[in-house]
Amino acid sequence: MSAFSRFTPLIGALPATVPFVGPEAIERARGRAVQARIGANENGFGPAPSVIEAMKSAAADSWKYSDPENYQLKQALAAHLGCNAENIAIGEGVDGLLGQIVRMVIEPGMPVVSSYGAYPTFNFHVAGHGGTLVTVPYRDDREDLDALMDTVIRENAPLVYFANPDNPMGSWNDAEKIVSFARGLPESCLMVLDEAYCETAPDGATPELAAMIDLPNIIRTRTFSKAYGLAGARVGYTISTPDNATAFDKIRNHFGMNRVGVAAALAALKDQDYLAEVIDKIKASRDRISAIARANGLEPLPSATNFVAIDCGRDGTHARAIVDGLMEHGVFIRMPGVAPLNRCIRISAGPEQDMALLEEVLPKVLKGL
Amino acid sequence: MSAFSRFTPLIGALPATVPFVGPEAIERARGRAVQARIGANENGFGPAPSVIEAMKSAAADSWKYSDPENYQLKQALAAHLGCNAENIAIGEGVDGLLGQIVRMVIEPGMPVVSSYGAYPTFNFHVAGHGGTLVTVPYRDDREDLDALMDTVIRENAPLVYFANPDNPMGSWNDAEKIVSFARGLPESCLMVLDEAYCETAPDGATPELAAMIDLPNIIRTRTFSKAYGLAGARVGYTISTPDNATAFDKIRNHFGMNRVGVAAALAALKDQDYLAEVIDKIKASRDRISAIARANGLEPLPSATNFVAIDCGRDGTHARAIVDGLMEHGVFIRMPGVAPLNRCIRISAGPEQDMALLEEVLPKVLKGL
């Protein structure tokens, strides 16, 4: 016998699964290098030159732990967002923060409401804390706020999660609807509003901070991983009431932040010109992806994110064959996990060389099916 | 009301305390800059030049998530340590790994055995999962393995933690005693052997991997934060049976590693010449700290770590006055938290400029008391 015999029953029953298989694992399994890494909604336009410089400057100081209070980054975020530093909590990416939120609210058997096919990593944390996921279907490829609300009330759920703009579909609800949902939600339910993709959303999709910052049952999560091009830096944050922000201090790893990553985030906030440029590039790339899809008889869905979901017109098996076929040509993309979303493939915005390779090989893949 | 009303009772009852106040917070509170940062057992000799170069090279790639399987780092560690990659689990520093271990084993009310005055961050995780800490006193400033064993058996505890070499005292038990403890421990108790300071320990203090790697109830934790000089990079790892290593996959943040940090760890493993140099410098610095202590009528304790605990001959109030007094001169050090250990102050090894400042100001501080 080689595992410890007394892990908790909850841990013992969990599978050792991963929410997502990384492109490196696919490369190793297939013996084929990824040439266009446009599957994980990373940002191939990369961080700003000023950010890379800041990281290089910070490298030699890596013998020091990062400030456990994240004072500077909180101050900078508050100034940028127009809130108080006390409204901010910092964590090792949104994934880590989601795990902490679930842990703070969920005891085994409690219902957690989300959409069927939404973020697998959130579901991973719910399972990890013994929660019972109760899902509602997407409606017209969008998070169905009415159904989410009905389910929260029916289940007396303490936790509801959705993303706006949405992953994996790229769709969004208008700010007004989000605020109305938040203000109508029972205060006994914590709403996690994942805004990982807010920087690339159209006007009117992201609620003003002031619209919800006073609500004790709303936590908004944001990240430097997407538009800021810093997925590997692992810096995310939440926006909430001060008391909810303080709650993270009860359980977080106070010395958990990477020092170079924090330096990168600080520099990224300062370089809003670069961010604006990248957002333009992402939008152009979304158009490019959509045009390639249409040229191949596939239907791109509108996107507020740094990726485009493309309806391939058939079922999950067909979409999977396209994903696998593209990887045979070194193009790494992903697809939603469940029906009916899995009639789609999901392609991240990226530099022109990636788009050119996609344009070249997609027809070959489709022809070969 | 500004906090969510339905956090779990466990979370609701936890204080929002921090295990350690960071030097940055002390600087802000006192309005005085730290000039000698020798309090957090960081390594002021810093990472290798080759490591800094590797970090700089990796910076531009920070738009990519780090490989969630940590394949390369596991392979490199296995080759370095002489075990299999399957024996390794990687995490965001030992602190994060300790939190995961506690979560895997402890349900509310379960006893966890440790020494009174040992690692506060471990205790923080135990409290965070509702465990009941049962402590045994240090014996001659060393972890008392016999008392730990007796307490495990008396409490039927599922988890015991100690560090070898020890923090905060710098003391150690011989490898033979550690192995004997591990082999004598009931298999119903998981032993966490924290070896954060193993690289600076004398021969005979650290058990061979082979001596315990087959035991299903032993997890050893190690880090790049201390001798490797990469506290800010947040890379730690465990050594255990393959099944125990896999257990982390059930709950860890698969995409939680910082990409530059992983690049740093890989480069650090390759530069063992630099590590050897730094270890020599740390040992010389320990001697220097000890000499300064003796010159001031204080008694340094033998150390196997990158710091020296110094017996100041009186109580915790006296030691605290020295810690505070040194900070008035820009010298940041720490001290153990509880009696009788808190008759000591704890000073980390560091470069000569730090030692020179310590040497200059310690007599002034002592004179002023």
Side-chain angles (χ1 to χ4, degrees), chain A residues 2 42 62 65 232 241 243 259, chain B residues 2 42 62 65 232 241 243 259:
Chain A
S2 57
E42 297 161 329
S62 284
Y65 289 106
T241 63
D243 283 0
R259 196 174 175 98
Chain B
S2 57
E42 296 161 331
S62 284
Y65 289 106
T241 63
D243 284 1
R259 194 173 176 97

Side-chain angles (χ1 to χ4, degrees), chain A residues 63, chain B residues 36-38 43-46 281 285 288 348-357:
Chain A
W63 63 273
Chain B
R37 187 166 159 134
I38 48 177
N43 177 352
F45 300 111
K281 287 182 186 171
S285 182
R288 181 94 164 89
S348 308
E352 175 51 29
Q353 71 212 45
D354 294 354
M355 296 300 116
L357 182 60

Side-chain angles (χ1 to χ4, degrees), chain A residues 2 4 6 8 11 14 28 42 62 65 103-104 128 156 188 232 234 241 243-244 250 255 259, chain B residues 2 4 6 8 11 14 42 55 62 65 69 103-104 128 156 188 226 232 234 241 243-244 250 259:
Chain A
S2 57
F4 180 57
R6 220 170 148 186
T8 67
I11 296 296
L14 287 174
R28 287 188 291 270
E42 297 161 329
S62 284
Y65 289 106
R103 178 175 161 196
M104 290 197 284
N156 183 27
S188 55
R234 308 287 63 220
T241 63
D243 283 0
N244 284 339
K250 297 179 172 192
F255 290 83
R259 196 174 175 98
Chain B
S2 57
F4 180 55
R6 220 170 148 186
T8 66
I11 296 297
L14 286 175
E42 296 161 331
M55 296 175 85
S62 284
Y65 289 106
E69 296 186 355
R103 178 175 160 195
M104 290 198 284
N156 183 25
S188 55
K226 304 302 177 186
R234 308 286 62 220
T241 63
D243 284 1
N244 285 339
K250 298 178 173 194
R259 194 173 176 97

